[in-house]
Every structure is written in structure tokens, then in C-alpha cells.
Amino acid sequence: MSDCDKRDLFEARTGGYRVYRIPGIVVTSRGVVLAHCEARKGRGGDWDPIDIVMRRSLDGGATWQAPFVAVDHRRYAGGGPINNFVCFPDRVTGDVEVLFCHNYARVYSMRSHDDGLTFTEPAEVTPVFGEFRQHYPWRVIAIGPGHGIQLGNGRLVVATWMSDGTGTEFGPGRLGHRPSEVAVMYSDDHGRTWQCGEFVAHNEDRFRHPNETCMAELSDGRVLCNIRSESHTHRRLVSISDDGATGWSEPHFDDALVEAICCAGFIGFDTADGRGFAFSHPGVLERTMPGGPGERGVGAAQMKQ
């Protein structure tokens, strides 16, 4: 792998925010690069006040416009965090579809017709997610994070993780993010409506607390989910569906992909000799969760189908 040109787009303790976390980056159908993340106030925790900030590049990432607030948490009742902002560049309409969550309890949809320069008024789509409660009593829900994907047939797909909130990791009065399970959402009308797909991974002894999941389309049209979990195996979980919504295969560990219990990046792209994939994730296990020694490292892998 060749060296990358690296630059800091969001820097902690600047712009009135303590930290910037949970990044995402996409390229629109007109070639505009959009980078976004959660801009966290307070102590920078998951339940502190959080806005979504974004930057745009018109020259492939060589230069970047100034950051701006794409979603302001103060617009929503009770304040609290805006979290898990996920973009879908739609190559059919040219729009950028967006899903995001408020307070880990409500989900909103909006879109941009001008490559992230402006966005439509957010519309709440939380009632759609009520269908998941027929199978799992969630009280905490989050999209992605990272980015969504569009399949060859135009379908928009994103993984969703949810928790019943019984975990105590955030202390008294705050819902936990564990235990957790993973399902998918999809849209066949360019984000105008969303539907619940099937569950991909359940919480069990083998697959402890599956959550943040990234996806890619394979060369034959099937869809692969690459799943974070807290399993003691410390390898990423993988599951495959024919249509990106139903019939997910039994998850299995990918021995080549270390799991440091951290969000990962995963994209599919066309190459001259097939379909390629890029996977980014901490590549060491010195620290896997609070209480472990050392620091999370950084690693990356490239794979060909």
C-alpha cells in the first residue's frame, strides 16, 4: 500500500467542541467529497450535547471548505445528542440521502439536492423502526455509523444496531448500549420511505453485543455485513444476504480481520480485474475496551473478491 496524503479535518478543543468523533466520508455523484462527524460538547461522551458538523471538498480532497453545522442538537426537544449521521450518495437522483438519530431514540431523514451545501427539513421516521420491537424490545437505536450504500438495483441499505438499554456502562439514569443486536434498513424509492429488513446478528455467547456494522455489495449483487462485536475471539463477524435485506447467513468470524472492539471502515470498489474492498480498523489488541492495557492501534487491509 502506498502512503496517503493525510490532513486533519476536525481538531479537538476547537470550534467550541471538546472532541470530534464517529466520522463518515462520501463522494457525491458530481464528485463533491463530504466529510462529517459528531462534534461533542461537555466531556465528549455519547450522551453529552452533540451536533453534526460537515466539510466539503470540490477538488477530490486536496482542499476543504470551512466546517459548518449540518444538524444542531438545540433544534430538538430536550437537547441531547445528535448521533450516527449516515449519508447515501444516490447515483440515480444525484441527491444525498441522510438518516440520523436524536438521543438514541428517534430517527430522522433528510436529503441534499446540492451536494451537501443545504439540506431539506428533517422528517421523523421513527415509527418505521417500531417493527423491530416485534422481535427485540429496543430502547436505544442507532444507524450505521459511517456511510450507507446503494446497490446496483438502486436500493439504499444501511445496518442498524439497537439495545434494550439495560446496560449500566454510562451510570445511573442513562440507558446502556449493551446488550445490542444488528438489523438492516432499506429504501427502494430513493429514501422517500424506509423499511425494516431482517436481523443480521443477535446477542449470544458466541457473538457478544454485535453493534456498529459496515456493508458492501459483492460482484454478484449479494451484500456483505462486516460486524463489530465484543466476542472474546477478537475477530470481525461477517454475514451475507442475497438482497441486502433478508436471508442473512449465520454470522461467522473472519480470521483475517482483527476485532479491537472498535468501529471499522469498509468499502467496495470496482477494479480492472474484479471487485476490490478496503477495510480500515485498529490492527492490534493491546487495548480492546476500557480496562485493557495500552492503546488501540491502527491497521488497514485491502482485499479482492
Side-chain angles (χ1 to χ4, degrees), residues 88 91 149-157 185-190 195 242-246:
F88 307 74
R91 61 181 175 270
I149 63 172
Q150 185 174 42
L151 308 186
N153 61 10
R155 171 173 284 180
L156 304 180
V157 185
M185 295 295 297
Y186 67 96
S187 174
D188 287 330
D189 56 7
H190 306 287
Q195 301 181 63
D242 287 342
D243 61 8
T246 62

Side-chain angles (χ1 to χ4, degrees), residues 161 177-178 180-182 201-214 226-238 251-254 257-264 279 281 285 288-289 296:
W161 64 265
H177 289 177
R178 303 177 184 87
S180 56
E181 304 203 346
V182 171
H202 296 282
N203 180 47
E204 54 181 270
D205 289 342
R206 293 176 300 161
F207 313 139
R208 298 177 65 244
H209 313 315
N211 50 67
E212 297 169 332
T213 297
C214 38
N226 185 295
I227 307 164
R228 166 182 170 171
S229 79
E230 297 179 19
S231 299
H232 298 303
T233 306
H234 290 302
R235 292 298 184 270
R236 298 290 290 189
L237 282 170
V238 172
H252 68 275
F253 293 107
D254 188 327
L257 302 179
V258 170
E259 175 57 276
I261 311 183
C262 186
C263 185
F279 173 81
H281 187 266
L285 295 175
T288 57
M289 286 296 288
R296 292 177 180 172

Side-chain angles (χ1 to χ4, degrees), residues 39-111:
R40 299 186 170 194
K41 299 186 178 185
R43 297 178 60 85
D46 287 355
W47 289 100
D48 285 330
I50 298 174
D51 296 330
I52 302 299
V53 295
M54 178 175 283
R55 299 188 69 173
R56 303 169 75 244
S57 174
L58 307 181
D59 54 13
T63 62
W64 292 84
Q65 297 175 351
F68 64 93
V69 175
V71 185
D72 189 328
H73 78 281
R74 294 172 299 180
R75 292 189 57 194
Y76 296 83
I82 302 296
N83 52 279
N84 288 60
F85 186 91
V86 172
C87 292
F88 307 74
D90 192 319
R91 61 181 175 270
V92 178
T93 65
D95 294 340
V96 178
E97 303 297 329
V98 176
L99 289 175
F100 66 89
C101 304
H102 171 235
N103 230 20
Y104 294 99
R106 311 185 83 85
V107 184
Y108 291 83
S109 170
M110 65 182 186
R111 67 182 51 84

Side-chain angles (χ1 to χ4, degrees), residues 8 18 20 42 56 66 92 114-115 130 137 149 151 183 222 287:
D8 294 329
R18 182 177 179 86
Y20 296 89
R56 303 169 75 244
V92 178
D114 53 13
D115 300 311
I149 63 172
L151 308 186
R222 294 181 301 157
R287 179 177 180 182

